[in-house]
Amino acid sequence: QKEVEQNSGPLSVPEGAIASLNCTYSDRGSQSFFWYRQYSGKSPELIMFIYSNGDKEDGRFTAQLNKASQYVSLLIRDSQPSDSATYLCAVKAGSYQLTFGKGTKLSVIP
Amino acid sequence: NAGVTQTPKFRILKIGQSMTLQCTQDMNHNYMYWYRQDPGMGLKLIYYSVGAGITDKGEVPNGYNVSRSTTEDFPLRLELAAPSQTSVYFCASSAGTADQPQHFGDGTRLSIL
């Protein structure tokens, strides 16, 4: 069974700091990796996606992928209180289906 | 920008009742999905569709049915509602290949009492 593991948190960081969110996955055939942000009571919204090993940057967000270690991470620089949310890692491997982790709750303290 | 529209937003059902959750997208996406999300949990795939007339089971299909008669619509049917189906239901769609990200509707919060 394909599994995606995330630390449930909560992860608390001070405003302006770097938040580091981590995700591991079990299926070595996984091809695509997505990070979604979900505010309480709202639907998931896509933050970033990454397909290749290495780093991908978009504004304050950086996704990092290491397929050999089956590890994907999301860094949020200059964290803001508005970044406080649950971050869902999702992985796709050879099908139309995404497998989601349970999410990490991030709290940015002003 | 309508995107993915779900109705209703909230619903309370009695055990044994049935209902249909509606999902419509205006992005001409071929792929559509239904998920449920229980408190503190990730999203579990119920059913998905890769095009009109084509549907398949996901991870937790028991107690649900779907149909896909048009590209735009992908309704989810609950036949005999059970308390275990109390959850938040999200519909999503994506374009092109399965590598494209999924776009989510606002969700339907369903309680079975």
Side-chain angles (χ1 to χ4, degrees):
Chain A
Q1 184 175 353
K2 301 171 186 176
E3 294 183 347
V4 177
E5 299 289 339
Q6 295 182 255
N7 188 323
S8 61
L11 173 66
S12 295
V13 300
E15 183 174 356
I18 296 175
S20 178
L21 305 163
N22 305 316
C23 173
T24 59
Y25 58 94
S26 62
D27 188 343
R28 285 196 169 274
S30 299
Q31 300 164 328
S32 311
F33 308 86
F34 303 84
W35 282 101
Y36 285 83
R37 177 176 65 197
Q38 187 175 28
Y39 293 113
S40 181
K42 301 295 186 181
S43 61
E45 57 178 323
L46 182 71
I47 298 296
M48 293 203 57
F49 57 91
I50 186 167
Y51 305 140
S52 304
N53 276 329
D55 295 359
K56 180 181 179 182
E57 187 174 318
D58 184 0
R60 296 188 295 113
F61 298 95
T62 298
Q64 299 175 317
L65 175 60
N66 184 326
K67 290 186 177 181
S69 299
Q70 295 175 246
Y71 176 92
V72 58
S73 65
L74 179 70
L75 300 178
I76 306 175
R77 291 182 299 281
D78 188 25
S79 295
Q80 300 297 310
S82 58
D83 294 326
S84 296
T86 296
Y87 289 80
L88 302 171
C89 173
V91 174
K92 189 192 81 66
S95 71
Y96 302 110
Q97 300 182 29
L98 283 180
T99 301
F100 283 84
K102 295 180 180 180
T104 297
K105 186 173 183 178
L106 172 67
S107 180
V108 180
I109 311 301
Chain B
N1 292 358
V4 180
T5 302
Q6 292 183 238
T7 56
K9 295 189 183 302
F10 304 95
R11 185 73 184 268
I12 298 175
L13 282 182
K14 293 182 179 179
I15 295 172
Q17 287 185 323
S18 60
M19 77 164 293
T20 299
L21 281 65
Q22 301 292 344
C23 177
T24 298
Q25 54 94 5
D26 63 359
M27 296 174 281
N28 201 33
H29 286 169
N30 285 326
Y31 305 101
M32 296 188 74
Y33 313 83
W34 274 106
Y35 294 91
R36 60 176 288 172
Q37 186 177 35
D38 299 324
M41 303 295 286
L43 294 125
K44 299 289 187 182
L45 183 66
I46 305 171
Y47 271 95
Y48 66 99
S49 170
V50 301
I54 306 170
T55 62
D56 207 349
K57 296 177 180 179
E59 185 180 357
V60 290
N62 291 344
Y64 307 94
N65 279 299
V66 294
S67 60
R68 183 95 181 271
S69 58
T70 67
T71 299
E72 295 77 18
D73 300 311
F74 190 40
L76 177 72
R77 178 83 176 164
L78 282 72
E79 287 297 349
L80 291 172
S84 61
Q85 294 177 305
T86 294
S87 190
V88 180
Y89 291 84
F90 290 104
C91 179
S93 71
S94 65
T97 70
D99 285 342
Q100 294 297 311
Q102 297 181 11
H103 303 271
F104 286 81
D106 289 338
T108 295
R109 190 174 298 273
L110 181 63
S111 294
I112 315 295
L113 303 176

